Amino acid sequence: MASLTVENYIKTIFQVCLSGDGQAATGQLASALGVSPGTVTSMLKTLSESNLVTYTPYEGVRLTHAGNALALRVVRRHRLTELFLVKTLNMTWDEVHEEAEHMEHAVSDRLIDRIDEFLGRPEADPHGDPIPRSDGSFEIPASRTLAECGVGDKFRLSRVIDQSPEFLRFLSNSGLPLGTAGQVVANRIEAGIVTVSVEGQETTLGRAAAEKILVTPGR
Amino acid sequence: MASLTVENYIKTIFQVCLSGDGQAATGQLASALGVSPGTVTSMLKTLSESNLVTYTPYEGVRLTHAGNALALRVVRRHRLTELFLVKTLNMTWDEVHEEAEHMEHAVSDRLIDRIDEFLGRPEADPHGDPIPRSDGSFEIPASRTLAECGVGDKFRLSRVIDQSPEFLRFLSNSGLPLGTAGQVVANRIEAGIVTVSVEGQETTLGRAAAEKILVTPGR
DNA sequence: CAGGTAAATTAGGCTGGACTACAATTCCCA
DNA sequence: TGGGAATTGTAGTCCAGCCTAATTTACCTG
């Protein structure tokens, strides 16, 4: 049985690998986990001995098949927990991450499967993050960032990368919850802004914010 | 912030104290927690230094005010979690204890308060165990064991002490879920059995089983 | 009231997971 | 292409929790 610490390392390696070149560097893990680089190095050896990762000193770490499977289980627990809290208790998308961060290590896979069934086998969590399935399969739907859209593009807001409570609350307050349909009315690279129109209402976002929002082509 | 281990020690001390003379012995804690006696002794010193317990070597341990408050918070989290799982996912009373055992350390008090509200501030969990309130108050309703009832007594099944899945399933299968109303038709101390009638159906229990079932006077 | 037994404590040791300080490596640029 | 900066790795230390074995205490009974 993987310890809470091991699960967190594996999950973090998974996320860093996904958002980069498929490898995770010691320093990235150290800052993501809030521990010192030396601690990460020694843990990577441990994980390597457990055959959860392949580790090449001074180069990086990547998940083995077993490591990937564990990461997907942890991510699945996290995301289904988030959605469960939203659906049952009417919690908001900015509240659930913190709770799920702890609960993901405490709920059994059996319980998670029941939650999955109760929720009707959802594909995504409240932030639009795809949910790994119980058979270990995992697909990331195609999408692009709002910053990549051209003027006139119609879109549907499908996923939010920056999940800080502040950003999520900003989106809610701006009438931009998940699933929102809209159209890009301006995208000025020089000025670093993107303006969208949603139900007649225009909102302007900085480029950094627009890059944290994923969209699919709108209707 | 109390560690998972500390929370488990405090909760166990609480339970042992309640079911006995208000003190917990080292050996009782060791077997309840599944650790060696020596381990308990050293942990009791730690807890004592944190002012969660008062510890007298060779005599026993009892909770301080702070220790009692912590125990009630853990018990509250456990019991509300159990009821939440039963209400939302239709889990059965023999399934939820194990899950709650882990989740009680992972859910925040804020989340628990929302669950409490969602459930309508219930008084008892699926086994009839009373739920400590958020203000720290805690009352144990008066009751007696089925073994203490006399022939002819009408009762309502209010709480089950033995919460092993096997026993709970036995009760369910015997038509004796929580809340069942019935009447004692025999109580033979020499034979060590108690026979009850529920909706015309008679069931005979051993004395040990009858002592694990609490009842309130029926209508 | 002496001695045996059961329970509790002490002593010493181990492992997981963290730290700091220092050494090695890699990278990048002049 | 050499050298400094940034990144990694190594070594040694610490603490929480656990163990076993040896010792001490408390209690009970003859």
Side-chain angles (χ1 to χ4, degrees), chain B residues 131-150:
Chain B
I131 297 173
R133 291 187 271 267
S134 58
D135 64 6
S137 63
F138 180 55
E139 282 153 34
I140 303 172
S143 64
R144 54 181 180 163
T145 72
L146 197 51
E148 291 164 337
C149 293

Side-chain angles (χ1 to χ4, degrees), chain A residues 9-147:
Chain A
Y9 270 88
I10 293 295
K11 184 184 68 166
T12 305
I13 294 168
F14 177 80
Q15 287 163 345
V16 170
C17 285
L18 263 195
S19 67
D21 60 348
Q23 287 220 144
T26 304
Q28 291 176 296
L29 298 175
S31 73
L33 288 160
V35 299
S36 71
T39 304
V40 171
T41 300
S42 71
M43 178 54 83
L44 291 184
K45 276 185 216 159
T46 306
L47 295 177
S48 186
E49 277 158 22
S50 313
N51 289 311
L52 291 169
V53 304
T54 56
Y55 169 52
T56 317
Y58 292 107
E59 192 181 314
V61 67
R62 44 183 87 226
L63 294 174
T64 62
H65 187 74
N68 202 259
L70 176 56
L72 287 174
R73 283 197 10 245
V74 177
V75 168
R76 174 176 161 81
R77 294 198 297 249
H78 182 100
R79 295 182 179 170
L80 280 168
T81 299
E82 286 187 338
L83 192 60
F84 183 58
L85 295 178
V86 167
K87 294 291 186 188
T88 55
L89 297 174
N90 284 311
M91 293 182 77
T92 54
W93 66 348
D94 59 297
E95 295 175 311
V96 290
H97 177 81
E98 182 63 22
E99 292 293 341
E101 202 65 16
H102 296 107
M103 291 174 69
E104 68 188 11
H105 309 293
V107 296
S108 72
D109 288 334
R110 244 187 90 255
L111 176 56
I112 277 298
D113 287 345
R114 292 194 62 152
I115 288 175
D116 190 22
E117 194 189 334
F118 169 79
L119 295 172
R121 313 226 175 268
E123 311 242 299
D125 78 4
H127 314 101
D129 295 328
I131 297 173
R133 291 188 270 268
S134 58
D135 63 6
S137 64
F138 180 56
E139 283 152 34
I140 303 172
S143 63
R144 55 181 178 162
T145 72
L146 197 51

Side-chain angles (χ1 to χ4, degrees), chain B residues 26-27 41 45 55 57-58:
Chain B
T26 303
T41 300
K45 277 185 214 161
Y55 169 52
Y58 294 106

